[in-house]
Amino acid sequence: MNVRSIRFRLGAWYAGLLALLLILFGVFVYVTLERVLERNLQETLTKEAQTIGDALLSKIRQTGDAYVIDEIEEHFAPRTNSHFLRVTREDGSVLYQSGHPHDESFDPAAVAASRAGDPVAWHEENAPGTGKLFVYSMTYTDSIGTRYAIQAGASNKPIRTVLNQLLVSLAVALPLIIGVAIGGGILLMRNALKPLRDISDAAAKITSRNLNERLPKVHTGDDIEQLTASLNRMMSRLEESFQHVQRFSADVAHEVRTPLAILQAELEALLDRPELNTESRNAVSSALEEAGRLSLIAEQLLEMTRLEAGEMLSTASRIDLADVTRGTVDQMRLLSDDKQIRMTYEGEEEVPVLGDPIRLRQIVVNLIDNAIKYTRPGGTISVSSGTAHGNGFLEISDSGVGIPQEAIPHVFERFYRVDGARSRQLGGTGLGLAIVKSICAAFGGTVTVQSVPGTGTTFRVELPLESNAPANSGFTQKYPS
Amino acid sequence: MRLLLVEDEEKLARLIKRALASERFSVDVAHTGREGLELANNYDYDLLILDLQLPELSGGEILRRVRRVNSNVPVLIVTARDAIAEKVMQFEAGADDYLTKPFVMAELLVRVKSLLRRGTGRRENVLRVSNLELDRLTQQVRRGGRIIDLTAKEYSLLEYLMANSDRALSRSMILDHVWDQGFRGATNIVDVYVRHLRSKIGDEDQKLIRTMRGVGYSIREET
């Protein structure tokens, strides 16, 4: 679980807050209940003591001691109720004292006696075992002035039992509630975050190729609507600057090409002049060749710009890489034969990839041309194509001079030459491998190289099989207007 | 044949005009879009050559306005813009062909002639240059009566050269016609094939295929 995710942090805060609130609530309930129960007990005891005075002791002269004792026993049943009752005469002799309670929560004899004339008082005593004994003491004075001390007491054991039960209930219920709340919270959050995920999914689908698309508008009037609008505004700005770059490269192309066209045409016209001597003719021809090379470089650079802008993908269709490779090898065999290099081809019957026939051909041509250039007469070039791991592949191995280890990371860079002077002599623009890489990337593939200096080099191109290629049917080419 | 060329680069316009004139075309030149549209509306040209980036009125706009009243005149677009989208847009607007700068003048001439229905070079079934003979129906090549065995590519190359005999063909023109654009990276494929073709047709003693240095090749009778 990702502890930094918004879902986890929100959930943790939410659960923590809930637990704190529930605990506070539990403490409040516990304390309140304890106070209510104790007050009730005290009221009961007060009433009992007052009743003994008002109802029984007031008539003790007519009824006699025994009647009063009987009445107390019968009326209050202190033993059954686990209550303590004691009536003491003015002289300190005990008129009545309740017996051992049935739950043995206290020892009646051990309870401190009060004397007649003492003011009304509450005191607590430690009962044997656990718990406390609440004792209410008062003085009753009858009509002729005889005073009795009355004590009523009760153990807090029943209160404790109730409170303990409450604690147990809380201890069971609290985690349960928190657990349910966290579960519900996760579900809730998943739903709440769903619009965000939708936005993210939609945004992920937008690349340089379909920058004109926008996220679907929502009208929720909240943060989500704002986020969608902000993202859409950002994409508009991106699209604008992207178009700016494309316009810029088109303008540059125009500015370079027009002078090149003039240069080329002027030189051609010059070459047609009959009065030109051989020396001048050669010079003009040489200049024309260089102008041609410059044109080729400009053209290839522009083509790479367009490949990187993703324009080519609009023409992508199902192409048999094996067929393209086989055909190209056949057509280039004359070149390898010419240099006494043995070129072989083997491959699967059909390797359907997503591409454009001209661009795929360009890959094969550039790599084979490269291999022929750097392989000495008598060497071999083996070309193969097939399918592996859901990709179509094309491999071109030569027994050529190889590439030094330190140069390998740079071979696909524009204008990079392993051995400047030598390779320029062999012709080419220094863009061949860079173009291969751009084409591969444009169709969602890769190109890699392995080389042992002096032994040979292997280039491997991998392109997604047509069935595995990312769907691009939704993509429509946008024409500048 | 009267042609209209609308091109704001005066140097380039002059060069194109000269090349077309040498092929006996009469060429009117306009340097701005407005001027070009006026000429196109007032005269009955056989072909229009339009640059796209023009002052006052773009070539694309001229094309659209001309097409409203005249759907027949062939239009060749000559431009430095070569995005596929741009090409598609001009073709949709009614352009007949599209040539990207920089170009070899020979290519412009070939395209102009092809648009004027003089066809892509020669149309006969049997092409002849000196004692070299190519029969398009039987695909047989003879030199001085001797049958020459050629591979399919060698045959296509020879046919293209012979169909455009006496004309300089650039390497990229040959590549685009005989192979396809995908082969542009193969530095010397045209040269190697031409060399093989030369040896097969016995060109050592009696040269027919000429190297036009810096341009490409041309086949013509020895002078």
Side-chain angles (χ1 to χ4, degrees):
Chain A
M1 175 169 261
N2 178 7
V3 294
R4 292 172 64 183
S5 76
I6 184 165
R7 201 180 300 173
F8 180 86
R9 284 190 316 198
L10 264 179
W13 272 107
Y14 168 72
L17 201 66
L18 190 75
L20 187 74
L21 282 176
L22 281 175
I23 287 167
L24 282 177
F25 172 73
V27 169
F28 174 76
V29 167
Y30 185 90
V31 171
T32 310
L33 187 66
E34 185 179 38
R35 286 184 57 192
V36 167
L37 288 176
E38 282 181 1
R39 192 176 304 144
N40 277 354
L41 186 63
Q42 287 173 357
E43 271 171 22
T44 310
L45 294 176
T46 313
K47 226 169 254 163
E48 274 182 22
Q50 281 168 354
T51 311
I52 290 172
D54 293 344
L56 299 173
L57 293 178
S58 58
K59 289 179 254 171
I60 196 166
R61 287 174 203 286
Q62 294 90 26
T63 57
D65 289 1
Y67 174 79
V68 171
I69 292 163
D70 279 354
E71 278 296 299
I72 292 174
E73 283 285 348
E74 190 179 319
H75 202 264
F76 298 110
R79 293 188 59 186
T80 341
N81 291 336
S82 298
H83 278 195
F84 165 77
L85 290 172
R86 184 194 274 158
V87 182
T88 315
R89 295 193 190 86
E90 213 165 358
D91 59 5
S93 63
V94 173
L95 172 68
Y96 170 80
Q97 177 173 311
S98 56
H100 282 271
H102 84 280
D103 63 356
E104 299 294 337
S105 53
F106 58 89
D107 177 13
V111 178
S114 67
R115 282 205 304 270
D118 284 353
V120 173
W122 276 101
H123 78 273
E124 290 175 18
E125 289 192 12
N126 286 326
T130 56
K132 284 178 177 154
L133 190 69
F134 291 107
V135 183
Y136 175 70
S137 309
M138 66 173 282
T139 302
Y140 175 77
T141 313
D142 70 4
S143 50
I144 58 162
T146 318
R147 294 186 294 185
Y148 299 87
I150 306 172
Q151 285 178 298
S155 157
N156 69 347
K157 204 171 169 187
I159 295 179
R160 288 262 79 86
T161 310
V162 169
L163 288 175
N164 283 342
Q165 270 165 3
L166 176 70
L167 266 186
V168 170
S169 301
L170 283 177
V172 171
L174 259 166
L176 211 71
I177 291 173
I178 292 174
V180 168
I182 289 176
I186 287 173
L187 275 179
L188 207 71
M189 222 142 10
R190 190 166 293 165
N191 282 336
L193 291 178
K194 192 174 176 295
L196 277 183
R197 213 173 31 247
D198 289 348
I199 290 175
S200 146
D201 287 349
K205 285 202 191 91
I206 294 177
T207 65
S208 61
R209 295 186 188 104
N210 52 351
L211 259 182
N212 55 328
E213 285 181 18
R214 292 291 175 271
L215 298 175
K217 279 206 178 80
V218 292
H219 299 285
T220 48
D222 61 0
D223 301 359
I224 300 292
E225 184 179 340
Q226 252 181 28
L227 179 66
T228 313
S230 305
L231 277 175
N232 278 341
R233 273 197 300 277
M234 190 184 78
M235 277 187 287
S236 295
R237 286 196 297 273
L238 260 180
E239 190 188 9
E240 222 169 86
S241 68
F242 204 73
Q243 282 173 348
H244 182 79
V245 168
Q246 279 185 322
R247 228 179 3 253
F248 176 76
S249 59
D251 289 349
V252 166
H254 181 263
E255 293 310 317
V256 172
R257 284 174 160 183
T258 303
L260 270 174
I262 295 171
L263 187 66
Q264 224 160 304
E266 291 275 21
L267 290 171
E268 272 181 56
L270 195 58
L271 213 53
D272 281 346
R273 296 253 184 93
E275 71 269 22
L276 229 57
N277 63 29
T278 314
E279 198 185 330
S280 311
R281 191 173 295 277
N282 284 345
V284 173
S285 292
S286 163
L288 199 53
E289 265 172 34
E290 292 309 308
R293 191 151 97 183
L294 211 52
S295 304
L296 195 61
I297 291 177
E299 187 188 317
Q300 291 184 341
L301 274 178
L302 201 72
E303 183 166 305
M304 282 172 67
T305 311
R306 284 202 304 270
L307 277 170
E308 277 152 24
E311 192 184 295
M312 297 305 158
L313 211 62
S314 59
T315 59
S317 57
R318 179 196 162 102
I319 304 294
D320 183 0
L321 181 62
D323 190 47
V324 170
T325 310
R326 207 180 298 124
T328 311
V329 167
D330 281 345
Q331 297 201 38
M332 293 187 79
R333 177 148 290 135
L334 202 54
L335 295 183
S336 57
D337 287 353
D338 205 48
K339 221 182 150 184
Q340 276 114 50
I341 295 168
R342 212 169 70 88
M343 182 155 68
T344 60
Y345 171 78
E346 64 174 322
E348 288 172 23
E349 197 53 44
E350 202 190 6
V351 183
V353 298
L354 197 67
D356 162 309
I358 302 266
R359 308 291 153 203
L360 291 192
R361 163 110 58 216
Q362 226 174 337
I363 293 179
V364 186
V365 166
N366 286 7
L367 290 178
I368 292 180
D369 190 62
N370 206 60
I372 292 175
K373 251 187 240 172
Y374 295 104
T375 303
R376 293 189 190 89
T380 57
I381 296 172
S382 42
V383 183
S384 61
S385 66
T387 53
H389 316 299
N391 280 333
F393 73 85
L394 159 71
E395 223 171 59
I396 294 173
S397 303
D398 63 48
S399 63
V401 294
I403 305 167
Q405 211 58 40
E406 67 273 13
I408 282 186
H410 306 292
V411 292
F412 295 109
E413 287 172 11
R414 299 169 190 203
F415 300 119
Y416 182 81
R417 294 185 192 258
V418 175
D419 173 7
R422 191 162 164 274
S423 48
R424 199 162 292 120
Q425 222 173 38
L426 292 170
T429 54
L431 288 167
L433 290 178
I435 286 180
V436 168
K437 192 183 175 187
S438 295
I439 296 172
C440 289
F443 295 118
T446 55
V447 55
T448 50
V449 60
Q450 281 182 317
S451 185
V452 180
T455 306
T457 307
T458 299
F459 283 94
R460 186 183 171 95
V461 169
E462 292 199 25
L463 291 165
L465 284 176
E466 191 246 358
S467 47
N468 292 352
N472 73 327
S473 50
F475 168 59
T476 46
Q477 175 77 40
K478 240 181 106 190
Y479 300 120
S481 45
Chain B
M1 289 281 181
R2 193 166 180 191
L3 275 53
L4 173 65
L5 169 65
V6 190
E7 164 67 66
D8 62 327
E9 288 284 341
E10 292 188 20
K11 278 188 186 176
L12 190 60
R14 181 169 49 78
L15 286 160
I16 294 174
K17 181 176 177 174
R18 193 200 294 162
L20 288 168
S22 74
E23 298 278 326
R24 296 170 212 284
F25 291 111
S26 61
V27 183
D28 291 346
V29 177
H31 294 301
T32 70
R34 200 166 298 285
E35 193 190 340
L37 183 65
E38 215 163 275
L39 284 172
N41 283 336
N42 290 334
Y43 299 94
D44 191 18
Y45 289 105
D46 295 297
L47 179 101
L48 307 183
I49 302 175
L50 302 177
D51 185 12
L52 283 184
Q53 272 181 344
L54 291 168
E56 294 172 22
L57 205 64
S58 80
E61 194 51 40
I62 297 177
L63 172 61
R64 265 179 288 279
R65 295 203 193 173
V66 166
R67 278 284 175 256
R68 259 181 240 154
V69 291
N70 184 346
S71 55
N72 289 327
V73 61
V75 174
L76 170 62
I77 300 284
V78 173
T79 180
R81 289 191 215 155
D82 71 342
I84 290 176
E86 179 79 39
K87 281 189 194 176
V88 171
M89 195 170 74
Q90 299 308 334
F91 279 123
E92 279 173 354
D96 297 282
D97 202 356
Y98 196 103
L99 187 59
T100 314
K101 292 178 190 172
F103 49 84
V104 178
M105 210 48 86
E107 175 145 21
L108 178 86
L109 295 179
V110 168
R111 297 208 187 206
V112 165
K113 286 174 186 171
S114 134
L115 284 177
L116 288 171
R117 304 199 179 280
R118 284 188 189 171
T120 38
R122 293 152 63 178
R123 291 255 161 156
E124 314 93 291
N125 283 334
V126 179
L127 300 171
R128 272 190 198 87
V129 176
S130 180
N131 61 348
L132 183 64
E133 207 176 275
L134 182 142
D135 189 328
R136 282 172 156 163
L137 296 177
T138 61
Q139 303 215 328
Q140 238 180 33
V141 178
R142 291 159 188 268
R143 183 147 197 197
R146 186 174 58 87
I147 293 179
I148 296 166
D149 197 23
L150 295 180
T151 65
K153 273 292 149 199
E154 287 163 348
Y155 175 83
S156 311
L157 174 61
L158 185 62
E159 188 198 20
Y160 182 59
L161 286 170
M162 289 180 78
N164 295 285
S165 57
D166 297 331
R167 201 170 290 157
L169 301 173
S170 74
R171 285 185 181 80
S172 60
M173 279 167 77
I174 296 172
L175 260 184
D176 289 357
H177 277 91
V178 181
W179 285 269
D180 60 50
Q181 288 171 33
F183 280 95
R184 290 216 177 150
T187 14
N188 57 347
I189 192 166
V190 175
D191 302 311
V192 170
Y193 268 86
V194 167
R195 198 166 70 237
H196 276 255
L197 189 60
R198 272 175 173 160
S199 82
K200 278 197 177 176
I201 63 172
D203 224 21
E204 290 89 354
D205 345 308
Q206 204 186 357
K207 244 189 174 162
L208 295 181
I209 301 175
R210 320 281 176 105
T211 305
M212 315 297 288
R213 232 196 120 187
V215 183
Y217 297 95
S218 170
I219 197 164
R220 64 178 71 159
E221 303 219 8
E222 62 267 67
T223 44

